Amino acid sequence: MTDIGKIEAKKGFETLAEALREQILGGTIAPGDVLNELEFVETSGLSRGSVREAFRVLETQGLVSTRRGRNSGRVALQLDGDVLRRSLDMFIRGKKVPISVLAETIQVFAPALAELAARHRTEEDIRLMLDLLEKLATMNEPAGFVATNIRWHLAVSKASHNPILASVYQIIGPNLLTPEAEGFVTTRIRTNTVAAERLVLDAIIAQDGEVARRRMESHIRAYNKQLELKPR
């Protein structure tokens, strides 16, 4: 006789949480709709404790929030990139993902985002990237340089107009692009970084996706090498 092991039945609150999640994602429950606890107790046949546990599950997933005050209760949230960013941030922190893996991931993501930015960038995107690059070129204070460099990379990800990739990058990117400020103390490293990013931006402005991808890949490899952030 084959031993298939013990089969665990789903708990009531898990089933309710799944059903509500599908309704929120499908739009049946719209952003701002109130989730009435007593109503779900009556319709589901679950206890108030189980219904509250289902709400807590949805809250950790960024699908509902608790409203305080006179009209307190749970309400459905507007779905945006924050849901993905929170989930990925918890995964990275919870799994203690090593920086070498983050470096490896960015080495894949950054060139793709640069290529998409070249295809989809708007005049507003260009103005933002140019403005940040000019600030970067005159930034001598290490911590300020690092912060502005992060903002430039995030501006490139935004210019891709791909909300999924941009949301992922907004979590992974800063984790990798925030080295010790001393890493940018030398003028040579700062100069090389600005020069490389200017070449990437030139390709984005020219809407040459292939060149933008190639230049960003070369830049990230050199960046990681300078900071000793080598992929596995």
Side-chain angles (χ1 to χ4, degrees):
M1 182 176 178
T2 303
D3 183 6
I4 61 173
K6 187 177 180 181
I7 298 176
E8 296 286 346
K10 283 187 178 179
K11 296 178 180 178
F13 76 86
E14 293 175 330
T15 302
L16 177 59
E18 286 183 8
L20 292 175
R21 179 167 56 249
E22 289 304 312
Q23 290 193 29
I24 292 171
L25 294 176
T28 304
I29 297 177
D33 282 356
V34 177
L35 304 183
N36 188 292
E37 181 181 309
L38 291 178
E39 180 182 321
F40 286 112
V41 168
E42 293 175 4
T43 57
S44 70
L46 297 174
S47 67
R48 293 187 69 171
S50 292
V51 171
R52 288 173 181 171
E53 187 63 30
F55 288 168
R56 280 193 285 270
V57 170
L58 296 174
E59 200 159 6
T60 61
Q61 295 171 348
L63 298 176
V64 305
S65 67
T66 301
R67 186 167 60 190
R68 310 293 180 185
R70 187 175 181 180
N71 298 313
S72 62
R74 261 70 171 210
V75 295
L77 294 177
Q78 175 72 45
L79 297 179
D80 53 26
D82 285 342
V83 175
L84 176 60
R85 287 191 287 271
R86 281 194 294 269
S87 297
L88 184 57
D89 187 43
M90 286 190 290
F91 177 83
I92 291 173
R93 293 185 182 188
K95 292 290 186 180
K96 295 181 173 57
V97 177
I99 198 165
S100 61
V101 174
L102 296 179
E104 191 173 67
T105 306
I106 287 298
Q107 208 153 283
V108 173
F109 268 72
L113 285 165
E115 181 176 0
L116 289 173
R119 293 184 195 171
H120 305 303
R121 91 292 185 276
T122 64
E123 291 302 315
E124 183 180 352
D125 293 326
I126 292 173
R127 284 194 295 271
L128 176 59
M129 289 183 286
L130 281 171
D131 180 60
L132 289 171
L133 195 58
E134 290 309 309
K135 289 179 179 177
L136 204 59
T138 58
M139 188 75 65
N140 294 316
E141 195 268 317
F145 186 93
V146 172
T148 306
N149 194 39
I150 292 170
R151 291 174 60 198
W152 185 83
H153 278 272
L154 293 181
V156 173
S157 73
K158 181 182 177 184
S160 74
H161 292 274
N162 183 307
I164 296 176
L165 292 178
S167 292
V168 172
Y169 197 84
Q170 284 176 29
I171 288 297
I172 299 176
N175 277 289
L176 184 58
L177 294 170
T178 309
E180 293 297 326
E182 288 77 13
F184 281 109
V185 165
T186 67
T187 301
R188 181 180 63 83
I189 291 178
R190 294 200 298 271
T191 300
N192 289 346
T193 298
V194 171
E197 291 175 357
R198 196 178 296 282
L199 289 175
V200 173
L201 183 53
D202 286 345
I204 291 174
I205 293 173
Q207 293 188 297
D208 192 330
E210 184 178 344
V211 172
R213 170 187 278 272
R214 189 169 63 247
R215 288 177 177 176
M216 182 64 92
E217 184 175 9
S218 176
H219 169 47
I220 293 297
R221 286 183 184 278
Y223 185 101
N224 289 348
K225 184 177 180 181
Q226 288 174 333
L227 300 176
E228 298 183 350
L229 301 178
K230 300 174 181 178
R232 295 174 298 172

